[in-house]
């Protein structure tokens, strides 16, 4: 009997010991699971803090001016690289295997929408300063926050040579521009950042096929495409072309410089170029990159940009509440701005078509 009790006691003790060990293992497993769940968040925080290297900004305007000011005001180190719009996009494409950029700031929401649709840029992050945008700016924020709008300007106004035409005889509408009996021109949409917003505005308004027909007729009647708006301005001043669909920066600056250039902002609107800033989704320094976006939304930053009278890029419509535009441009000018999705969808087709016309 005693032996049976001993056996029973040993069995019971063994069972309790086994149960305790199992419970301990379960606790360890749960703790381990919690650690696994927490690790990605810790890694994400470390990724956002970055590796101490300067963030790299690609852009077509304000690069030389904004980088030192951002660094001075925030303490984040930044390196800016000034590209033309087409050059910046080509560089990003070339770096797919080893991206070197953290932020892109350029004209053309359609082109950045294209990058976003192909997985290049950070989405679903909303800046804390997004509420600093005015109503017009807020309406231009995409649902996925793939980019942040910061400014809007005319990718083209009608600029004319005042030695050849007067304000009365110069075209007042875009239909009159395309029907003009004489040489006209504008920048190449595959090279100049504002030029694709220019042509996409027309193609969206008319439809792609009608757009091709109108431009084909214009080429037959005398149409010249130049790499960027600088050469367009020179061609207009020297009379090589009589009128130009010219970016407002160049048009107003030529007028202010006393060149023989007159500027007409059509009442129907000017093709709009939306300046946006977007973040590389693979950036190793998200904290600083996000700080740059927040900084660009501040009214003080935008007023700094519009106050630079020596820089013609300062001729734009700021989108932060309370920021003011320069007085030299039309204050009530409206814009022809196609939806970003449409501009992104047709970008390759339209740019290829123009490239083919240049070859022919």
């Amino acid at each position: 009997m005693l032996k049976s009790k001993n056996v029973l006691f040993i069995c019971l003790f063994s069972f309790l010991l086994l149960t305790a060990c199992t419970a301990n293992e379960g606790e360890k497993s749960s703790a381990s699971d919690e650690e696994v769940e927490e690790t990605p968040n810790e890694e994400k925080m470390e990724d956002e803090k970055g590796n101490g290297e300067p963030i790299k900004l690609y852009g077509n305007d304000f690069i030389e001016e904004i980088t030192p000011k951002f660094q001075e005001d925030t303490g984040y180190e930044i390196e800016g690289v000034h590209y033309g719009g087409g050059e910046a996009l080509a560089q990003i494409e070339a770096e797919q295997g080893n991206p070197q950029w953290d932020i892109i700031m350029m004209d053309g929401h359609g082109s950045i929408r294209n990058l976003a649709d192909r997985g290049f840029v950070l989405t679903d992050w909303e800046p804390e300063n997004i509420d600093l945008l005015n109503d017009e700016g807020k309406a231009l924020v995409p649902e996925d926050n793939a980019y942040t709008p910061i400014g809007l300007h005319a990718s083209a106004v009608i600029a004319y040579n005042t030695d050849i035409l007067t304000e009365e005889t110069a075209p007042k509408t875009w239909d009159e521009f395309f029907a003009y009996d004489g040489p006209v021109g504008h920048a190449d949409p595959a090279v100049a950042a504002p030029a694709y917003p220019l042509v996409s505005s027309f193609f969206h308004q008319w439809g792609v096929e009608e757009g091709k027909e109108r431009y084909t007729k214009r080429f037959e009647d005398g149409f010249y495409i130049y790499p960027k708006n600088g050469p367009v301005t020179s061609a207009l001043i020297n009379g090589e072309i009589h009128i130009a669909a010219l970016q407002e920066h160049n048009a107003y600056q030529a007028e202010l410089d006393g060149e023989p250039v007159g500027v007409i902002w059509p009442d129907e609107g000017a093709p709009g170029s939306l300046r946006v800033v977007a973040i590389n989704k693979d950036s190793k320094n998200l904290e600083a990159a996000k700080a740059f976006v927040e900084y660009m939304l501040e009214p003080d930053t935008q007023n700094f940009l519009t106050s630079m009278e020596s820089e013609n890029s300062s001729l734009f419509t700021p989108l932060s509440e309370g920021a003011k535009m320069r007085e030299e441009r039309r204050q009530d000018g409206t814009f022809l701005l196609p939806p970003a999705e449409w501009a992104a969808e047709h970008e390759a087709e339209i740019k290829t078509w123009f490239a083919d016309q240049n070859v022919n």
Side-chain angles (χ1 to χ4, degrees), residues 106-326:
M106 65 172 280
D107 305 331
H109 63 321
S111 297
I112 304 303
R113 179 73 263 170
N114 195 331
L115 289 179
D117 291 343
R118 295 165 55 216
F120 282 81
V121 305
L122 180 71
T123 58
D124 301 320
W125 169 71
E126 183 176 87
E128 292 181 8
N129 283 345
I130 201 73
D131 287 338
L132 295 179
L133 288 173
N134 58 27
D135 290 341
E136 185 177 19
K138 289 175 182 176
L140 295 170
V141 176
E143 290 185 5
D144 63 354
N145 291 102
Y147 56 79
T148 301
I150 57 174
L152 186 60
H153 74 271
S155 57
V157 291
I158 296 175
Y160 60 95
N161 184 306
T162 56
D163 290 336
I164 300 172
L165 295 166
T166 66
E167 186 174 359
E168 289 71 28
T169 60
K172 307 296 189 302
T173 69
W174 293 113
D175 283 344
E176 291 176 359
F177 173 87
F178 277 86
Y180 176 74
D181 185 16
V184 306
H186 66 53
D188 189 338
V191 179
Y196 179 64
L198 158 61
V199 297
S200 64
S201 295
F202 291 143
F203 275 66
H204 177 257
Q205 181 181 357
W206 299 328
V208 173
E209 293 310 312
E210 184 180 341
K212 291 178 181 178
E213 291 174 7
R214 288 206 182 197
Y215 266 101
T216 297
K217 178 67 165 60
R218 188 59 256 182
F219 273 109
E220 293 170 355
D221 293 340
F223 186 75
Y224 297 86
I225 289 184
Y226 301 86
K228 296 184 180 182
N229 281 284
V232 178
T233 308
S234 297
L236 180 66
I237 292 171
N238 65 34
E240 182 178 323
I241 54 177
H242 298 177
I243 57 175
L246 186 60
Q247 180 178 222
E248 68 163 299
H249 302 161
N250 304 78
Y252 283 115
Q253 190 62 56
E255 187 178 50
L256 289 169
D257 289 343
E259 300 289 357
V261 173
V263 181
I264 295 173
W265 190 306
D267 291 337
E268 67 198 275
S273 187
L274 182 64
R275 181 175 290 114
V276 303
V277 58
I279 298 174
N280 180 359
K281 72 175 182 62
D282 295 320
S283 171
K284 303 300 185 197
N285 200 342
L286 283 176
E287 179 183 295
K290 289 178 178 180
F292 182 83
V293 177
E294 303 280 11
Y295 184 76
M296 293 306 301
L297 286 168
E298 295 177 6
D300 285 348
T301 302
Q302 299 210 359
N303 278 328
F304 164 72
L305 297 179
T306 59
S307 69
M308 296 186 298
E309 294 184 2
S310 61
E311 173 57 53
N312 64 27
S313 296
S314 61
L315 291 155
F316 74 97
T317 300
L319 293 176
S320 289
E321 195 71 55
K324 298 179 180 180
M325 70 178 77
R326 284 180 59 174

Side-chain angles (χ1 to χ4, degrees), residues 13-75:
F13 179 79
S14 299
F15 173 78
L16 292 173
L17 183 62
L18 179 63
T19 301
C21 290
T22 303
N24 287 336
E25 287 298 320
E27 291 174 2
K28 290 180 181 179
S29 177
S30 297
S32 177
D33 289 343
E34 289 175 2
E35 290 173 3
V36 169
E37 290 176 0
E38 291 175 0
T39 300
N41 292 331
E42 293 173 358
E43 290 177 353
K44 182 178 180 182
M45 290 175 64
E46 287 300 318
D47 286 343
E48 291 203 6
K49 289 179 181 178
N51 53 14
E53 294 293 324
I55 52 173
K56 184 170 284 189
L57 167 67
Y58 288 177
N60 68 307
D61 279 327
F62 299 123
I63 304 305
E64 290 81 3
E65 295 81 14
I66 201 62
T67 49
K69 183 165 176 56
F70 169 74
Q71 184 162 314
E72 179 183 354
D73 289 349
T74 68

